[in-house]
Amino acid sequence: MGELGLGLQKIIKAAPSKALVIRINLVFLAFFLVIYASLLLRPSSSAYFQNAASLVRCSLRECHHKVEKGVKMEAVLEETEAMKPKRKRNLTMLEVPSFIDEIGGGVKIGMLNFEDEDYSEWEKHGGTIPIHFQRVSELFEWKDLFPEWIDEEEEIDGPMCPEIPMPDFSKYDDLDLIVAKLPCEYPVDGWARDVFRLQVHLIVANLAVKKGKRDWNWRTKVVFLSKCRPMLEVFRCNDLVKQEGEWWYYEPEITRLEEMVSLPIGSCNLALPLWGQGNDEVFDVSKIQQATSAAKREAYVTVLHSSESYVCGAITLAQSLLKTGTNRDLILLLDRSITEPKRDALKAAGWQLRFIKRIRNPRAEKGTYNEYNYSKFRLWKMTDYDKVIFIDADILVLKNIDLLFHFPQMTATGNDIWIFNSGIMVVEPSNCTFKLLMNKRKEIFSYNGGDQGFLNEVFVWWHRLPRRVNFLKNFWANSTVETGLKSQLFAADPPKVYSIHYLGLKPWHCYRDYDCNWDIGDQRVYASDVAHQRWWKFYDAMDEKLQQQCGLTERRKIELDWDRKMAEKEGFQDEHWKINITDPRRKFLIN
Ligand SMILES: *[C@@H]1O[C@H](CO)[C@@H](O)[C@H](O)[C@H]1NC(C)=O
Ligand SMILES: *[C@@H]1O[C@H](CO)[C@@H](O)[C@H](O)[C@H]1NC(C)=O
Ligand SMILES: *[C@@H]1O[C@H](CO)[C@@H](O)[C@H](O)[C@H]1NC(C)=O
Ligand SMILES: *[C@@H]1O[C@H](CO)[C@@H](O)[C@H](O)[C@H]1NC(C)=O
Ligand SMILES: *[C@@H]1O[C@H](CO)[C@@H](O)[C@H](O)[C@H]1NC(C)=O
């Protein structure tokens, strides 16, 4: 204010006319009015929060609610201070687990999130150091960390993540042991997607990486007090050493944990930068490329079970993977429903075959189409590999994706809301995880009756790949902008997408003349002649022997012709049903 006043005095001295003085006074008045108005009208922080959150931005897929992170986080922080209820202190004695002596106690024990407990028992085993942190706001929801849409193509300002408060790590020295109390709202609806619960996990992971003492095997010691199992996305199943009542003792590998905490805190940002350097400070793609060029105990895997209708898809998948020049193993998990001649063709296409027993979804009705969809869990039994990339048999890979072996479980592309698409995912085989999945078969409700719904309840914290890695063939936005953009991406040669995921009816189940999704009302959102032609172009380049596995059955031909008739009856405006069929497969039906 002083400087401004002086400046004004100078002006007034230089030009002492009455008119000017009045004008300056008016300017002053206006200036203060604006300040008063802005003070008066300043919205309360919660209103601010809502306004910010409801900012709508439109882009490729549709209009999306885009959260202005900068504004919002400020509001959230204000809320935390104001809303924190004053708790009555009720000290409860915190009993140490009986295996504490095996852990060795230690000189320094970091205690996290024990507010109302008396930890004098722990003090007998070493000096306890409370870790101070600011609890994340109640208003901070899972969907802020896992938004359905992010601006990954940087059409607007690029993706952004909100902040999760972390302790000031510089205040703490090396810790021999980290002990944390995890919140657990189970069985309240949505308990697994609890931001506070994630916050405590991430603080522990960061503490372990930054301040945890390492043993000879480069592991550190972490103990949780929790009613539910700590998140296995952060603290791997295999690293659990002991469990007793509500006590969980882990010895996580620091290198893996370090990788984990270097990734974005949610799917609000990409784990894999799309445009190479510059977009993401965490990852330097060239380094990843070097690190993933040597084949380790890693493989691409797909699963066929219950019927042969995806054999052709698996064949084109293998051929497309080989064309990308990968040197990883291609493993096909299959059950006995795949006959000898098909097995031979699958081998010829490039797969190594491994027989599995399919896994029933106990909640599925007998004889339904998704009865055995939990067979994918067998991926976790492939413990002769450290990491596998699962790919659905209705995906055509167009560019090398070996880069994905760099990422931890669970890494995938987004599907909708906070759900990842299980069509391409990074999986770390583990007997322990497999057992866990099997044990939860009855308890977990899968929203779509399939493995995708199930796995999304187990791995709620996942890392987002650019959607170009697993580009879904859908037109959910139903706009010409979307159709134009996606068609251009499907057609681009050299390819712009890493793979195309053929949702809806599969190309080999249609006549090659056009995408038969056009003929069925509720499948029309999946129809794309451009993507369809792309698949057939790939088919044409395959060996004739392999092509023969993609024939039409008598039954399928009848269905197709029926669908065309129905489309005519409906009078679909695009008139695909009018197209004359020239597909030679119609003349050479298979069994
Ligand atoms: C303290 O908490 C325990 C249960 O956690 C309860 O039984 C007890 O009544 C509480 N004491 C006071 C003084 O609130
Ligand atoms: C996982 O279990 C199978 C037996 O079910 C065993 O052969 C395999 O060695 C185990 N893998 C590891 C890494 O322990
Ligand atoms: C279940 O598996 C069948 C094939 O085995 C597949 O057609 C279907 O889409 C799957 N369902 C879900 C919901 O994943
Ligand atoms: C897509 O839009 C068209 C007209 O623009 C409309 O007739 C059609 O019903 C829409 N489809 C869906 C699935 O919303
Ligand atoms: C389809 O074939 C019929 C006769 O074979 C012909 O009359 C008709 O013009 C053809 N339609 C198109 C769109 O080529």
Side-chain angles (χ1 to χ4, degrees):
M1 229 27 204
E3 260 186 41
L4 184 65
L6 268 174
L8 278 169
Q9 271 176 4
K10 266 185 212 153
I11 296 170
I12 292 164
K13 270 184 194 151
S17 96
K18 255 190 187 165
L20 183 63
V21 172
I22 290 168
R23 220 178 296 151
I24 286 169
N25 282 341
L26 279 176
V27 167
F28 250 104
L29 196 63
F31 180 58
F32 283 112
L33 267 176
V34 168
I35 289 184
Y36 278 127
S38 65
L39 281 175
L40 276 174
L41 295 178
R42 203 170 75 118
S44 77
S45 44
S46 72
Y48 210 159
F49 174 77
Q50 278 165 9
N51 285 346
S54 65
L55 266 181
V56 175
R57 292 273 168 91
C58 294
S59 190
L60 181 56
R61 190 175 144 194
E62 235 178 319
C63 290
H64 296 274
H65 293 266
K66 189 159 192 291
V67 182
E68 287 290 304
K69 262 70 189 204
V71 179
K72 196 184 114 186
M73 286 325 298
E74 212 172 284
V76 167
L77 291 185
E78 282 169 34
E79 288 288 341
T80 355
E81 289 309 313
M83 287 179 39
K84 224 174 192 167
K86 291 264 178 289
R87 281 195 216 174
K88 277 206 200 105
R89 282 187 68 83
N90 178 356
L91 291 181
T92 45
M93 182 69 88
L94 192 64
E95 278 187 33
V96 297
S98 70
F99 53 77
I100 179 78
D101 290 326
E102 284 168 59
I103 301 177
V107 202
K108 281 188 204 143
I109 308 176
M111 303 289 290
L112 184 72
N113 196 34
F114 292 101
E115 284 171 55
D116 297 338
E117 285 85 356
D118 163 18
Y119 33 80
S120 53
E121 276 294 302
W122 281 92
E123 268 153 14
K124 291 181 193 153
H125 298 269
T128 55
I129 300 156
I131 310 288
H132 300 286
F133 71 102
Q134 188 179 31
R135 187 182 160 151
V136 74
S137 163
E138 309 256 321
L139 296 175
F140 195 156
E141 293 177 67
W142 197 258
K143 65 175 181 333
D144 301 323
L145 287 176
F146 289 83
E148 173 164 319
W149 179 86
I150 65 168
D151 183 20
E152 63 175 71
E153 311 253 327
E154 302 190 2
E155 294 165 293
I156 308 160
D157 337 293
M160 267 181 293
C161 277
E163 259 178 73
I164 291 188
M166 286 283 143
D168 178 358
F169 295 110
S170 69
K171 282 193 184 151
Y172 307 99
D173 300 322
D174 283 355
L175 300 168
D176 298 282
L177 175 65
I178 298 157
V179 184
K181 185 170 84 173
L182 294 175
C184 167
E185 302 279 331
Y186 179 87
V188 172
D189 235 18
W191 68 274
R193 295 189 171 87
D194 174 349
V195 181
F196 178 43
R197 183 163 174 261
L198 176 65
Q199 181 189 26
V200 178
H201 279 87
L202 291 182
I203 292 177
V204 173
N206 274 285
L207 266 175
V209 166
K210 296 184 168 79
K211 296 292 169 184
K213 274 250 182 72
R214 290 136 203 229
D215 68 8
W216 293 108
N217 298 319
W218 216 244
R219 285 169 186 270
T220 188
K221 298 187 173 83
V222 173
V223 172
F224 292 109
L225 175 63
S226 175
K227 267 194 292 171
C228 14
R229 167 182 271 280
M231 295 169 76
L232 81 160
E233 305 94 302
V234 191
F235 293 93
R236 296 161 63 242
C237 197
N238 295 49
D239 294 342
L240 179 65
V241 182
K242 276 232 155 70
Q243 196 216 334
E244 180 185 302
E246 295 187 357
W247 289 107
W248 309 74
Y249 168 41
Y250 285 82
E251 285 187 0
E253 275 175 54
I254 288 305
T255 17
R256 284 185 187 253
L257 211 53
E258 204 162 15
E259 268 173 29
M260 202 77 87
V261 298
S262 72
L263 288 167
I265 53 171
S267 74
C268 39
N269 211 334
L270 290 177
L272 170 67
L274 188 58
W275 309 119
Q277 270 162 304
N279 176 23
D280 191 311
E281 289 150 28
V282 182
F283 282 109
D284 175 351
V285 184
S286 59
K287 274 193 206 133
I288 304 178
Q289 258 150 2
Q290 277 166 18
T292 57
S293 60
K296 294 173 206 150
R297 291 171 15 116
E298 295 169 344
Y300 289 104
V301 192
T302 197
V303 183
L304 288 183
H305 64 87
S306 305
S307 100
E308 294 189 329
S309 66
Y310 281 65
V311 168
C312 165
I315 285 171
T316 43
L317 170 61
Q319 291 280 292
S320 71
L321 277 168
L322 290 176
K323 208 174 158 219
T324 68
T326 183
N327 56 359
R328 302 309 202 277
D329 291 347
L330 306 185
I331 308 285
L332 173 68
L333 304 184
L334 73 168
D335 74 351
R336 304 275 166 191
S337 65
I338 313 293
T339 56
E340 257 334 311
K342 298 282 180 194
R343 293 178 200 172
D344 291 342
L346 286 158
K347 262 190 268 181
W351 293 112
Q352 297 174 34
L353 309 192
R354 280 195 190 183
F355 288 93
I356 55 158
K357 210 171 144 241
R358 56 189 188 170
I359 299 173
R360 214 180 152 262
N361 174 355
R363 284 170 172 264
E365 279 178 39
K366 281 225 152 47
T368 52
Y369 80 109
N370 59 8
E371 189 178 354
Y372 288 96
N373 279 32
Y374 289 175
S375 303
K376 260 189 209 176
F377 298 171
R378 294 272 175 223
L379 294 170
W380 278 271
K381 283 297 272 182
M382 301 175 65
T383 55
D384 48 332
Y385 291 101
D386 294 325
K387 215 174 260 183
V388 301
I389 291 176
F390 170 81
I391 311 188
D392 265 341
D394 56 353
I395 289 178
L396 189 67
V397 177
L398 301 174
K399 283 165 79 167
N400 188 296
I401 50 172
D402 288 349
L403 213 63
L404 304 193
F405 285 108
H406 176 81
F407 294 89
Q409 170 176 288
M410 175 53 76
T411 304
T413 56
N415 197 80
D416 62 326
I417 48 170
W418 44 59
I419 303 287
F420 63 82
N421 184 284
S422 65
I424 295 188
M425 52 185 176
V426 181
V427 163
E428 294 173 11
S430 135
N431 283 337
C432 163
T433 311
F434 176 75
K435 218 164 105 192
L436 199 136
L437 295 174
M438 293 298 278
N439 289 343
K440 284 187 185 277
R441 271 182 309 163
K442 284 215 180 81
E443 171 199 330
I444 288 182
F445 172 75
S446 159
Y447 79 95
N448 64 352
D451 60 282
Q452 175 163 307
F454 185 97
L455 294 174
N456 265 286
E457 295 311 308
V458 179
F459 301 100
V460 296
W461 192 65
W462 52 278
H463 314 289
R464 191 196 285 261
L465 295 170
R467 62 174 168 196
R468 290 185 187 216
V469 168
N470 170 10
F471 206 94
L472 306 183
K473 183 181 69 123
N474 68 45
F475 298 87
W476 287 334
N478 194 20
S479 71
T480 45
V481 177
E482 182 196 34
T483 313
L485 228 150
K486 290 193 177 172
S487 301
Q488 179 243 321
L489 287 175
F490 291 141
D493 205 358
K496 283 187 178 170
V497 295
Y498 288 82
S499 82
I500 301 175
H501 192 163
Y502 286 87
L503 302 186
L505 300 165
K506 310 309 167 193
W508 62 93
H509 289 149
C510 299
Y511 292 128
R512 63 180 292 166
D513 299 81
Y514 67 90
D515 187 338
C516 56
N517 285 294
W518 285 115
D519 289 339
I520 300 179
D522 60 1
Q523 300 293 305
R524 288 163 59 82
V525 285
Y526 302 119
S528 161
D529 289 329
V530 178
H532 184 75
Q533 274 155 23
R534 181 91 202 201
W535 191 91
W536 284 100
K537 196 170 137 195
F538 190 85
Y539 166 95
D540 286 339
M542 281 195 323
D543 190 88
E544 205 179 315
K545 277 251 171 59
L546 297 178
Q547 288 178 349
Q548 281 166 12
Q549 304 303 320
C550 299
L552 287 171
T553 59
E554 174 76 38
R555 187 199 161 114
R556 186 64 200 138
K557 178 177 169 285
I558 293 170
E559 285 168 355
L560 278 171
D561 292 341
W562 173 260
D563 291 342
R564 277 162 63 78
K565 278 216 187 69
M566 286 296 133
E568 179 174 7
K569 221 168 136 193
E570 291 274 347
F572 288 136
Q573 292 292 304
D574 49 274
E575 298 191 332
H576 278 80
W577 45 270
K578 268 194 187 166
I579 294 173
N580 281 339
I581 300 304
T582 59
D583 189 341
R585 285 151 72 242
R586 189 148 95 140
K587 302 257 159 55
F588 302 97
L589 298 176
I590 58 161
N591 294 318

